[in-house]
Amino acid sequence: MMKATQKLTGIKSMVTQAFNIDALCLCLCPSSKSLAHAAAQSVIQYLQQILSQQQTATLVLATGNSQIELLDILAATAEIDWSRIILFHLDEFLGIEAHESASFRYFLQERLLKQINPQHFYGIQGEAAEPLAECDRYTHLLTQHPIDLCFLGIGHNGHLAFNEPGVANFNDPYRVKIVKLAQQTRLTGVEQGYFPSLARVPQYAYTLTLSTILEAKKIVCLAFGKSKAKIVKEMLTGTINSSCPASGLRLHPHTTLFLDRDAASELDLSVFGKE
């Protein structure tokens, strides 16, 4: 296993154990609450560091239940100069408008954007009349603003953003693309209450590609709950390949994965190198 290069400055009191898994740093927290606070503190420290070195920082936001408490903490903090932060997000359903409650732009507006004043938020326009042109527009913006920090959650099938196992590519030639969603992913949208029925869940979505995500200078990924334990085990102990897109995070030298005890419950932690 490769030695992780990251340090846990300032968050050790919230992390019960830390491990190196290839290039990835795994932080184990006792609960989802402590996980969110540890992740938030690491984000605050990193953004402060970046802004001490450059005028602005570019942050890519994730959505979903894994991000709620993290975003709530960041929305309430006075330790980030949001006027110097440029925001993007990972993905959006095809054909959905920003005001619809299932839209990821709506999620981010309610959870974060209403409470802060970023320099700019660039949203993926899910309702765009020309979807391929929207991919080009977003690609151009990302090219202008290299990603300093990217938030992630892990899908039950190991997807990152909407890079499903069938379409994920660690060396994707595209920065943004349109993909067909796996049935399991669409069902999750219903189970979490974002859509009233499977028939209402779009079959396609925009996503930042894995190659774009892995270009980020730093990645902070969160997973909690027993429902994530199986895929976390596959991600961290299986072969690194696109059949489990999240496994690619083990190749990134500045990724920190925050897990609670439940998400880590199927791991044999004795085989990992301690931080």
Side-chain angles (χ1 to χ4, degrees):
M1 293 181 183
M2 296 168 57
K3 179 71 176 176
T5 59
Q6 303 164 85
K7 301 298 180 185
L8 303 181
T9 307
I11 64 171
K12 286 186 176 180
S13 63
M14 294 172 275
V15 174
T16 55
Q17 291 175 283
F19 303 89
N20 303 310
I21 304 174
D22 297 314
L24 176 148
C25 178
L26 166 61
C27 291
L28 185 61
C29 302
S31 66
S32 61
K33 185 177 181 64
S34 60
L35 175 155
H37 280 275
Q41 190 59 42
S42 73
V43 166
I44 291 166
Q45 291 174 355
Y46 179 72
L47 289 176
Q48 289 175 338
Q49 175 191 337
I50 289 292
L51 291 175
S52 72
Q53 301 168 357
Q54 59 195 51
Q55 185 58 37
T56 61
T58 298
L59 167 58
V60 175
L61 299 167
T63 55
N65 290 350
S66 68
Q67 307 296 308
I68 290 174
E69 193 157 7
L70 170 62
L71 294 179
D72 287 348
I73 295 167
L74 295 180
T77 186
E79 298 182 74
I80 298 174
D81 184 355
W82 291 105
S83 69
R84 296 171 61 191
I85 308 292
I86 297 166
L87 298 173
F88 287 81
H89 62 128
L90 284 171
D91 43 21
E92 182 60 280
F93 292 107
L94 182 65
I96 202 165
E97 297 189 9
H99 64 82
E100 296 182 60
S101 60
S103 163
F104 294 147
R105 287 164 292 168
Y106 181 89
F107 177 100
L108 293 171
Q109 184 70 27
E110 295 299 310
R111 285 286 169 188
L112 182 66
L113 298 174
K114 279 185 176 180
Q115 287 81 274
I116 65 171
N117 291 296
Q119 184 172 122
H120 203 96
F121 169 65
Y122 292 108
I124 301 172
Q125 297 173 4
E127 72 278 19
E130 297 183 78
L132 294 181
E134 176 61 9
C135 289
D136 290 342
R137 182 189 74 89
Y138 217 63
T139 293
H140 179 67
L141 289 169
L142 287 164
T143 302
Q144 292 181 309
H145 302 285
I147 301 167
D148 292 299
L149 176 60
C150 181
F151 292 173
L152 292 173
I154 303 169
H156 287 90
N157 61 358
H159 71 230
L160 298 178
F162 277 137
N163 293 284
E164 305 279 18
V167 299
N169 180 356
F170 295 142
N171 300 300
D172 206 304
Y174 300 104
R175 285 185 175 273
V176 183
K177 65 183 181 181
I178 299 169
V179 299
K180 186 172 184 179
L181 299 176
Q183 183 87 339
Q184 183 180 7
T185 299
R186 296 176 67 229
L187 283 169
T188 298
V190 179
E191 292 165 357
Q192 294 184 348
Y194 294 107
F195 293 94
S197 67
L198 184 61
R200 296 286 297 276
V201 184
Q203 294 192 41
Y204 292 85
Y206 295 89
T207 187
L208 270 61
T209 60
L210 288 183
S211 56
T212 301
I213 291 168
L214 294 173
E215 284 179 1
K217 293 177 186 176
K218 182 175 177 61
I219 294 172
V220 170
C221 184
L222 281 63
F224 57 82
K226 284 193 178 293
S227 65
K228 295 296 176 73
K230 181 178 180 181
I231 196 61
V232 163
K233 180 180 180 181
E234 181 180 348
M235 166 196 177
L236 296 179
T237 64
T239 303
I240 299 174
N241 61 55
S242 59
S243 66
C244 180
S247 67
L249 296 180
R250 289 159 53 193
L251 302 171
H252 192 280
H254 298 289
T255 290
T256 304
L257 172 63
F258 291 90
L259 300 179
D260 73 346
R261 288 285 180 182
D262 286 339
S265 60
E266 294 194 19
L267 295 174
D268 178 2
L269 298 175
S270 66
V271 304
F272 301 137
K274 288 191 175 182
E275 170 70 27

